[in-house]
Amino acid sequence: MPETVETVFAKVVARNPGEPEFHQAVREVLESIGPALARHPGYADLVERICEPERQVIFRVPWEDDHGRVRVNRGFRVEFNSALGPFKGGLRFHPSVYLGIVKFLGFEQIFKNALTGLPIGGGKGGADFDPKGRSDREVMRFCQSFMTELYRHIGPQTDVPAGDVGVGGREIGYLFGQYKRITNRYEAGVLTGKGLTYGGAQVRREATGYGAVFFAEEMLRQTGDSLDGKRVVVSGSGNVAIYAVEKVHQLGGTVVACSDSDGYVLDEKGIDLALLRELKEERRTRLDDYVRHVPHAVAVAGRSVWEVPCDLALPCATQNEIGGAEAAALVAGGCVAVVEGANMPTTPEAVRILGRAGVRFAPGKAANAGGVAVSALEMQQNASRDAWTFDRSEQRLREIMRDVHERCWATAEEYGLPGDYVAGANINGFRRVAEAMLAHGVV
């Protein structure tokens, strides 16, 4: 990093102690933007400003469980940068959530949203609440309490949350109902990921998984290749993973393994998508139940799914799931490309190992931008009181992901870093935000 940027990074670490995920996300961007700062000296003064959120809100979330006991969780919303539009980013409900996680996700969201070319800023939020094992009524009471504070800080022209880990259609429904109840306004555009019966968008549920596969398709096409016949491994078995599996199969590849926190399932004939959906979306059960229905499949407990040989890896679970050992296993297993469906699932060490081995690598801020892209399309439909068909929405998603890929590829070429998707994504996103901030003056 240039000396001035090193100084900024040192300030970020000092100002935000004990937040390693945030530090990692900031360093990854700052290490990439040196060529842009050299070409545009006026950007240098913006670096520190971009690393500091515009607003950070932390609040108590009391709620009553089914036994009458009052529980307390902590809620967060970090409104990071609104240079391009209202803050936009998901809500994550998971025990691991703390301020550093939310800031890392919000910082990534700035550049991800910029790469889509759509008018949305970056933010993120959530709570250290775990919806797993909770009844629908407990989840409802938690969501209502959470929104009773959050509603003060959001709005269609201010901040538009969506879902993320632990926040699906059920949670969004409860949150929207409480917002409507408190404000006495039907502002469909205040949340995205809504149900189709009350302002939701077609393809929103599928968008992140589909988008990551569309990006992978463009990466392969760039070198004259395709997904047809490819052996694919996907981590996770939630929303992103399920729809990544679906789109890989539609485009001619075969997903042979997926995972959850207990281990992974290997199905050499290809993961049975209908069964996976039933287990995870309807029964909400563990992945090892898969082998009870598919005798030839194998459940492997406590091991990394990345030990399974593959052509293409799609990490769709959580941050830092691919470390040095996992990257080495992917290389040994013949992997030619890693495309991040999750946010920052690959450690810096792993990225270096993949790069040295010639494995193409697409960072999440580019590859998983499909979710927020369709969220922005949902906002557009809400504002115009319109509803698009599934085919129209999917086609628009595919166009956006093709454009994101082109921006990353072309920017890397422009700055003398051909094929470096990390640099291409970071420089392009940073440049677009920087131009808007310069236009706005000192804000």
Side-chain angles (χ1 to χ4, degrees):
M1 289 190 287
E3 186 176 346
T4 54
V5 176
E6 282 280 13
T7 301
V8 170
F9 181 70
K11 285 184 180 179
V12 168
V13 173
R15 190 178 285 169
N16 304 275
E19 298 176 0
E21 299 88 356
F22 179 49
H23 303 161
Q24 180 182 337
V26 171
R27 174 171 278 282
E28 190 245 23
V29 171
L30 297 189
E31 285 179 339
S32 300
I33 62 174
L37 297 177
R39 190 174 298 186
H40 306 281
Y43 291 170
D45 291 339
L46 300 173
V47 176
E48 184 173 0
R49 229 187 302 169
I50 286 177
C51 294
E52 184 67 24
E54 292 182 29
R55 189 173 298 109
Q56 302 177 64
V57 182
I58 305 176
F59 51 96
R60 182 179 64 191
V61 188
W63 57 282
E64 188 177 279
D65 68 19
D66 287 343
H67 304 289
R69 179 182 172 186
V70 176
R71 307 273 185 161
V72 178
N73 287 94
R74 183 172 288 179
F76 305 88
R77 189 67 181 171
V78 173
E79 297 174 332
F80 223 115
N81 190 291
S82 61
L84 297 177
F87 304 104
K88 186 82 192 79
L91 298 170
R92 175 175 292 194
F93 291 171
H94 191 272
S96 66
V97 170
Y98 77 108
L99 185 58
I101 289 282
V102 178
K103 281 160 71 174
F104 126 62
L105 292 167
F107 185 75
E108 288 279 292
Q109 201 78 42
I110 301 169
F111 307 99
K112 179 189 304 184
N113 294 1
L115 280 168
T116 67
L118 300 169
I120 42 178
K124 206 76 178 183
D128 58 357
F129 169 75
D130 190 355
K132 286 182 181 177
R134 293 294 176 186
S135 70
D136 285 350
R137 296 194 66 81
E138 286 177 322
V139 172
M140 180 183 72
R141 287 192 289 269
F142 174 82
C143 289
Q144 289 173 339
S145 181
F146 184 84
M147 182 55 78
T148 299
E149 174 60 33
L150 185 68
Y151 91 94
R152 311 170 196 276
H153 311 289
I154 63 176
Q157 306 302 324
T158 306
D159 185 353
V160 182
D164 192 75
V165 175
V167 179
R170 173 184 61 173
E171 289 78 14
I172 292 292
Y174 294 149
L175 291 165
F176 182 75
Q178 184 72 352
Y179 180 87
K180 184 167 68 73
R181 179 185 184 190
I182 292 171
T183 64
N184 194 33
R185 295 192 299 271
Y186 200 104
E187 294 179 341
V190 72
L191 287 167
T192 58
K194 301 182 296 296
L196 296 177
T197 57
Y198 63 101
Q202 296 275 7
V203 190
R204 176 59 191 90
R205 182 174 58 174
E206 298 88 350
T208 307
Y210 276 21
V213 178
F214 287 148
F215 195 97
E217 182 183 38
E218 293 300 317
M219 280 181 75
L220 293 169
R221 181 180 288 127
Q222 192 70 43
T223 57
D225 203 350
S226 74
L227 275 164
D228 192 42
K230 290 290 185 292
R231 179 184 171 92
V232 182
V233 168
V234 174
S235 69
S237 49
N239 182 74
V240 179
I242 287 170
Y243 292 103
V245 172
E246 180 173 84
K247 188 52 64 177
V248 167
H249 288 175
Q250 289 175 2
L251 295 177
T254 302
V255 177
V256 297
C258 61
S259 65
D260 63 13
S261 57
D262 290 338
Y264 69 86
V265 162
L266 174 64
D267 185 344
E268 291 288 355
K269 295 182 180 179
I271 293 294
D272 183 326
L273 182 62
L275 176 58
L276 181 62
R277 273 199 183 121
E278 180 185 341
L279 295 176
K280 287 301 184 178
E281 293 185 340
E282 296 174 25
R283 298 192 203 173
R284 300 177 188 270
T285 187
R286 305 306 300 169
L287 188 59
D288 58 10
D289 281 353
Y290 183 97
V291 300
R292 296 175 187 159
H293 301 270
V294 183
H296 65 260
V298 178
V300 181
R303 300 277 292 276
S304 169
V305 73
W306 306 121
E307 68 186 18
V308 178
C310 64
D311 301 310
L312 172 66
L314 294 171
C316 296
T318 191
Q319 66 271 5
N320 291 330
E321 59 175 290
I322 300 180
E326 292 78 14
L330 284 168
V331 172
C335 183
V336 299
V338 174
V339 177
E340 294 188 327
N343 293 302
M344 206 171 71
T346 314
T347 67
E349 178 192 9
V351 173
R352 288 191 292 271
I353 290 170
L354 295 172
R356 286 196 296 267
V359 177
R360 281 162 280 167
F361 174 75
K365 63 169 62 69
N368 71 30
V372 75
V374 176
S375 279
L377 300 183
E378 183 174 331
M379 293 165 64
Q380 181 180 338
Q381 292 166 72
N382 293 158
S384 61
R385 306 289 186 189
D386 197 3
W388 298 357
T389 65
F390 189 97
D391 288 346
R392 180 183 176 186
S393 298
E394 184 179 5
Q395 180 58 34
R396 187 72 184 98
L397 169 62
R398 195 167 203 158
E399 292 168 356
I400 290 170
M401 295 311 297
R402 186 179 299 130
D403 290 344
V404 170
H405 177 272
E406 175 58 26
R407 289 186 183 100
C408 295
W409 182 268
T411 302
E413 290 267 337
E414 179 186 349
Y415 285 86
L417 300 164
D420 188 338
Y421 285 95
V422 174
N426 287 333
I427 292 173
N428 189 280
F430 173 79
R431 194 168 59 185
R432 185 161 184 248
V433 174
E435 287 296 329
M437 291 179 72
L438 287 172
H440 297 164
V442 182
V443 293

